[in-house]
Amino acid sequence: AQKITQTQPGMFVQEKEAVTLDCTYDTSDPSYGLFWYKQPSSGEMIFLIYQGSYDQQNATEGRYSLNFQKARKSANLVISASQLGDSAMYFCAMRVEDGSGGYNKLIFGAGTRLAVHP
Amino acid sequence: DAGVIQSPRHEVTEMGQEVTLRCKPISGHDYLFWYRQTMMRGLELLIYFNNNVPIDDSGMPEDRFSAKMPNASFSTLKIQPSEPRDSAVYFCASRAGTANTGELFFGEGSRLTVL
């Protein structure tokens, strides 16, 4: 079964330090995509970063990087130089095949709540 | 560019009433998704459309739920009759079919409370 697992319900980090949020996934498809989204307290879902299963290099977007370990089926998000505004829920997601044979469905993990302390 | 627009942002209604949630996707996006977020079940895909046609509605919980997309710029999610367990945040999202990564752009959500 296709599944996303985020084992850390909550994390905290000191401002300006780096933090890693864990994500493991399960799929038998050779081709898939992995995403991270941020949900601040205001509720909107903000796309952060994407990693394709065939991408040779780890994805990076500013202070966000994705530590992609394909053999271990993990796609951890690393936030460098944490800021107070990074306090939010973070969701890992995977694009999977849906019931119609398409490849458009995103399934989400349960999320990790990150608190950045001054 | 305007993002995905949802209305209403908040809805409080009584059990048994009809609820209609609305969504305007980003112009040019040909995929539209409806998600539901609850504490217990997290984010669940209810249904998605491609070029206004429903493709996968396997996540729609019951016959009380229905979704339509009469044109490329508008979609509705209707619950009739509503029940307290339908209380959740409902997100609409869209994406372009040609997008290499396929990330979804979400609206701000509609928070539904059924009393």
Side-chain angles (χ1 to χ4, degrees):
Chain A
Q2 295 161 321
K3 188 178 179 182
I4 291 280
T5 302
Q6 294 180 256
T7 57
Q8 305 156 314
M11 291 279 288
F12 70 89
V13 64
Q14 290 292 124
E15 194 177 9
K16 299 180 185 177
E17 293 186 349
V19 63
T20 298
L21 306 183
D22 294 342
C23 172
T24 58
Y25 59 92
D26 189 15
T27 181
S28 56
D29 290 338
S31 178
Y32 49 89
L34 297 158
F35 303 77
W36 277 91
Y37 280 82
K38 172 184 179 181
Q39 187 177 42
S41 57
S42 50
E44 72 269 31
M45 296 285 287
I46 303 167
F47 166 71
L48 296 178
I49 197 167
Y50 167 82
Q51 180 84 43
S53 59
Y54 294 119
D55 293 343
Q56 294 297 313
Q57 296 195 349
N58 287 343
T60 60
E61 288 287 346
R63 294 186 299 110
Y64 304 110
S65 60
L66 203 151
N67 183 2
F68 182 46
Q69 298 187 42
K70 196 169 183 177
R72 298 179 62 182
K73 293 190 173 180
S74 74
N76 299 339
L77 177 71
V78 180
I79 305 174
S80 63
S82 298
Q83 302 172 357
L84 295 178
D86 294 334
S87 295
M89 281 288 285
Y90 289 81
F91 293 94
C92 181
M94 178 170 64
R95 189 173 63 219
V96 300
E97 188 173 355
D98 56 55
S100 68
Y103 193 55
N104 301 297
K105 180 176 177 177
L106 249 60
I107 59 171
F108 287 81
T112 296
R113 184 171 296 281
L114 176 66
V116 180
H117 295 174
Chain B
D1 288 340
V4 176
I5 299 172
Q6 292 186 245
S7 65
R9 292 292 314 279
H10 301 274
E11 174 92 4
V12 180
T13 190
E14 293 189 346
M15 182 173 64
Q17 297 297 306
E18 178 179 293
V19 173
T20 298
L21 308 178
R22 298 172 177 81
C23 175
K24 176 179 169 54
I26 294 173
S27 178
H29 282 190
D30 41 11
Y31 285 86
L32 184 140
F33 302 79
W34 283 100
Y35 278 85
R36 179 172 68 176
Q37 185 179 33
T38 60
M39 289 293 292
M40 291 296 293
R41 299 174 69 91
L43 275 154
E44 305 172 277
L45 176 65
L46 300 178
I47 185 171
Y48 83 88
F49 296 82
N50 178 216
N51 291 324
N52 314 337
V53 176
I55 302 300
D56 185 350
D57 65 354
S58 59
M60 295 286 264
E62 302 171 30
D63 291 345
R64 298 185 296 106
F65 286 70
S66 62
K68 294 182 180 179
M69 192 165 185
N71 57 61
S73 59
F74 183 66
S75 177
T76 59
L77 178 67
K78 187 174 292 187
I79 308 172
Q80 166 64 17
S82 58
E83 296 183 1
R85 58 190 168 130
D86 301 331
S87 298
V89 179
Y90 291 82
F91 285 101
C92 177
S94 70
R95 74 167 179 92
T98 54
N100 183 42
T101 60
E103 75 267 26
L104 304 186
F105 294 83
F106 282 81
E108 293 183 312
S110 294
R111 181 176 295 274
L112 172 65
T113 302
V114 183
L115 303 175

